[in-house]
Amino acid sequence: MAGNIESFLKSKKEDIDKLASKYPLKKSLILDFQEFWSYDKETAEKLRVSPEEVLVEFEDTLNNMGVLTSVEKPKFFVRFRNMPKDPGYTVMVRHINAEHIGKFISVEGVVNRKSEILPKVNNALFVCNKCDGREWVKQDKKFLKEPGFCRQCGRQSEFRFMPEESEWIDVQELEIQEPLELLKGGEQARTIKLWCENDITDVVSPGDKIILTGIVRLQPPKVKGSVFYKFLEVNHLEGVEREFEDIEITPEEESEIINLSKDSKLYDKIVGSIAPSIYGYNEVKEAIALQMFGGRPGKVLPDGTAVRPDIHLLLIGDPGVAKSRMLQFVNQIAPKSIYVTGKGTTGAGLTATAEKSELAEGAWTLKAGALVLAGGGIAAIDEFDKMTEEDRSAMHEAMEQQTISVAKAGIIARFKANTSILAASNPKFSRFDNYKPLAEQFDIPPTLISRFDLIFPLRDILDSEADRAIEKHMLKMHKSVSDMKEIEPKVSPDILRKYIAYARIHVKPVLTEDAADKIENFYVSLRARSSGGTAASTPRQLEALVRLSEASAKMRLSNTVSVVDVERAVKLTEFVLMEIAYDKTTGQLDIDRVITSYPSSTRARIRVIEDILRNLVGSSDSKTAVIDDVLEQAGAQGISKSDIDQVLNDLKNKGVIYEPRHGRFMFTE
Ligand code: ADP
Ligand code: MG
């Protein structure tokens, strides 16, 4: 074995010389496992089953080759990368079991936690309490190994550990989890801890997808017991850029995908495969379909700012309108996604945090949340309005810059978060009020709302016909198998996942001139239609239109965005604007309804007065608002007395308020 190792290393002379010239900045010789396997199968197999022995042999051989004469005792490391993909070598986290203990394997995962870099004793110096004899003890385990007896005085003795004179190395604990795109339909990702030493500390960050080689080790339980915990002692690790490429697509599936892309009913088929068991909401499903494909990545404006390709959607609405169901469904079929609730009950967290954790025994740890882990995919965030203050501010940055920064306890870190957000939220006062701007009905700041490309209010329609249709639809789902056929997805979830992955890898659509003109015309018309100078359109919306059009082209596997794509984007945008920004009293689009609260029409006056009433009621012990106060406060906002009387009458007639005594108002609920 030794001879082969030496001759193999000699064949790497060029690499070794290069490494030596960079020492001590670079210390690791990185070898290709498969190349070595072709060179010496027997030793390569030995490396797999008893790695420690072979790695030590490699390092000793290299360190004794005298490649560096200027340094007294250079210490090089040998690391192996590129193990074969077969199950004997590359193992999924969930499949690492007892038979792998002590073996050399390759694992792929996404870093979700990283501890700070900690010093670990590598060679510990002890001094005998009886004779002051010095005793060096090499430390290879996590726990400090003490000398058994003193070689100088020959007695069993107590020793003093001499930290300052001992040799230390950098260590870092990481945790990885299975890449989301390798999990099927909402499976929970498994995790495993990694132990890194020396020059492979601090080379990756939470959110990075990595491929590593290492030895499966066991860590004894803290309290006495027989169940040990697995961790990986990392030999080599590197980042991988691949994202959806890991989703395997056979040649047969590829031709199925191409055929489907030419189907004249493609769009309907794909939209019809999104949450087929949920009745209605066709526009929402269309938007979700586009979101899964996303815009064209890598666009940069002339001034150098990057334009995000990710489409963000917000569903806001009454309880029980199937918002959560919709999100869970997307999580089942999107090729890469995560489902979390804003309350963070899932424990994963939303953005990123620095915390003291049990990882690395209570050292500071950076932990990636859903947005970081789902990078390149979709984060379905339920109860978006319930997220913590911390997450909320991080969300602003994440949704526009696609990064998340953490600055805490001296840790400053920035993560990539190129994630599309599908958020669901309830109205603040549990039910929708058509008279109020959306912004006031949700605990979501306008600055955050404006970052969504499309916002869908989902109302619990009291329309009896729609009710009956939903009922019928739901019954159908629960009834006989023959009926079930009708709600079967038009494209199987498996093919849909692969179709989306295929489009995301291969299709990079560019706007045609006609398409660009059409977008511009629509954008200009929006400005013309909006009221009082406040634009229904903002530059953000222009970008959104481009993104949606690009996504539509990607859905057709087309490398050009044509007019049909823009038409789809326009139709959806129109639909949403009519839902959220159309003011019936003025007949105009009024984006204020969504993002600000400046009164400009009857419904605005109603809103202002209702708010005044609520405030007055809230601050009075008897829960009543007195007319004089209402007149004063509403008058201060420029509303005339006759208008105030009119609104109060309307509110009384609608049963919102009543007047138990003249000039005193109370709310009915
Ligand atoms: P939300 O999150 O909006 O409060 P859920 O997702 O928990 O609502 O859904 C509530 C229930 O109502 C679910 O069982 C869902 O199946 C049903 N439901 C409501 N609207 C529809 C619809 N349009 N089609 C099918 N089921 C619906
Ligand atoms: Mg819900």
Side-chain angles (χ1 to χ4, degrees), residues 319-320 322-325 339 382-383 424 426:
K323 297 183 299 295
S324 299
R325 288 269 320 266
Y339 173 90
D382 211 343
E383 323 240 4
N426 286 317

Side-chain angles (χ1 to χ4, degrees), residues 483-586:
D483 277 340
M484 284 288 278
K485 275 209 183 80
E486 283 182 60
I487 54 143
E488 239 174 49
K490 309 229 163 63
V491 182
S492 79
D494 190 44
I495 285 296
L496 186 56
R497 279 181 76 223
K498 291 180 175 176
Y499 190 101
I500 295 166
Y502 185 91
R504 293 191 74 126
I505 298 164
H506 297 289
V507 189
K508 309 262 174 316
V510 190
L511 284 178
T512 59
E513 200 148 320
D514 284 350
D517 283 350
K518 191 155 179 90
I519 290 180
E520 186 163 354
N521 289 342
F522 176 65
Y523 182 65
V524 171
S525 82
L526 273 185
R527 292 195 154 250
R529 275 152 62 199
S530 57
S531 63
T534 43
S537 46
T538 62
R540 276 221 177 89
Q541 269 181 317
L542 183 64
E543 282 175 18
L545 279 165
V546 174
R547 273 192 284 275
L548 292 165
S549 308
E550 286 168 348
S552 163
K554 275 167 99 172
M555 196 189 291
R556 301 186 292 117
L557 303 187
S558 161
N559 274 315
T560 51
V561 181
S562 53
V563 172
V564 286
D565 300 310
V566 178
E567 275 165 354
R568 257 177 218 141
V570 164
K571 214 180 96 211
L572 267 181
T573 307
E574 279 273 1
F575 175 85
V576 164
L577 285 175
M578 289 306 275
E579 286 280 302
I580 62 170
Y582 183 70
D583 187 340
K584 286 198 191 82
T585 54
T586 63

